[in-house]
Amino acid sequence: MRTALLQSSGRPGSVAENLKVLDEAAGRAAAAGAGLLITPEMFLTGYAIGDGIARLAEPADGDSADAVAEIASRHGLALAYGYPERDGETVYNSAQLISADGTRQANYRKTHLFGCFERDHFTPGERQVVQAELNGLRVGILICYDVEFPENVRAHALAGTDLLVVPTAQMHPFQFVAESMIPVRAFENQMYVAYVNRAGREGEFEFIGLSALAGPDGVARARAGRGEELVFADTDPAFLAAAREANPYLQDRRPGLYGSLV
């Protein structure tokens, strides 16, 4: 499956403008043969928008979800996007996967919040593994800081995730995560990892870009630069199966020794 990574900070504070950016990118991705387009963390509203997070937060099945579903079905490709999710009085940092026919497939709430900014504005989610079947692949979702905890990615590996979708808002000076950690996560867990970042300065944050899709061999199939960009890479189930056959990490585990980790 050809996968498109939309590296963009969109238009912080404007859902309507970000939907336009998403629509344009979806058209380009579909024309290039992509079956899935992934946006960064909090793409729908912007990340560093302070109290605007609570004001713009919507339910997982709200008006904006309907608008994204319409874009997905009109262009004929699945969309994974980051947004602030409202559930009653609670706001989560979430990412949702919508299929090419506009059906809501999976919704994930970030479990590990980074820094005071996120802890001031969000409640952490409690479900570690969220998955959906898409074009012959089992797709899982984490968000940014979540992927830096090896336990999270290993849980996905043990649950059979083939492609781990990671909308992110990675900022300076932590570029080593995109450059080094993401390929290692893909290799040690025998999966594809799509890490899709924001780009440029937003409020107090400087986002580093460097979005990547890494394969189970630890090689980045696509790598963006520091600016706004749409990049593509293919996820190949046959290559994934061969890599899993050749790499014994998951088979050679000894869980009985790991009790002290929890």
Side-chain angles (χ1 to χ4, degrees), residues 134-154:
L134 182 68
N135 297 340
L137 294 170
R138 183 170 295 180
V139 176
I141 307 172
L142 292 176
I143 299 174
C144 198
Y145 195 39
D146 290 327
V147 80
E148 298 178 37
F149 292 82
E151 299 88 347
N152 285 335
V153 188
R154 182 52 53 89

Side-chain angles (χ1 to χ4, degrees), residues 53-55 57-61 84-92 109 123:
I53 291 172
R55 176 172 53 83
E58 295 185 29
D61 59 354
E85 178 193 354
R86 176 171 294 284
D87 186 356
E89 295 302 310
T90 305
V91 177
Y92 299 96
R109 295 166 173 174
T123 296

Side-chain angles (χ1 to χ4, degrees), residues 83-218:
Y83 75 108
E85 178 193 354
R86 176 171 294 284
D87 186 356
E89 295 302 310
T90 305
V91 177
Y92 299 96
N93 183 336
S94 296
Q96 184 152 231
L97 174 66
I98 294 182
S99 68
D101 65 1
T103 302
R104 293 173 52 241
Q105 294 289 328
N107 188 70
Y108 171 77
R109 295 166 173 174
K110 189 174 185 178
T111 55
H112 294 71
L113 302 179
F114 179 78
C116 296
F117 177 83
E118 290 193 6
R119 290 192 288 269
D120 285 346
H121 292 284
F122 300 107
T123 296
E126 296 296 331
R127 186 177 174 190
Q128 185 183 37
V129 176
V130 172
Q131 298 170 311
E133 299 296 324
L134 182 68
N135 297 340
L137 294 170
R138 183 170 295 180
V139 176
I141 307 172
L142 292 176
I143 299 174
C144 198
Y145 195 39
D146 290 327
V147 80
E148 298 178 37
F149 292 82
E151 299 88 347
N152 285 335
V153 188
R154 182 52 53 89
H156 270 276
L158 297 177
T161 293
D162 300 314
L163 169 61
L164 186 61
V165 169
V166 189
T168 192
Q170 185 60 271
M171 55 201 70
H172 178 80
F174 303 111
Q175 53 265 25
F176 69 90
V177 175
E179 294 172 338
S180 301
M181 185 181 291
I182 295 306
V184 170
R185 287 284 180 269
F187 179 73
E188 68 189 2
N189 291 287
Q190 289 300 286
M191 61 175 64
Y192 287 97
V193 179
Y195 188 77
V196 188
N197 199 10
R198 305 178 71 83
R201 182 164 292 280
E202 187 180 330
E204 62 184 290
F205 305 114
E206 180 186 348
F207 298 110
I208 60 168
L210 301 177
S211 299
L213 193 151
D217 55 356

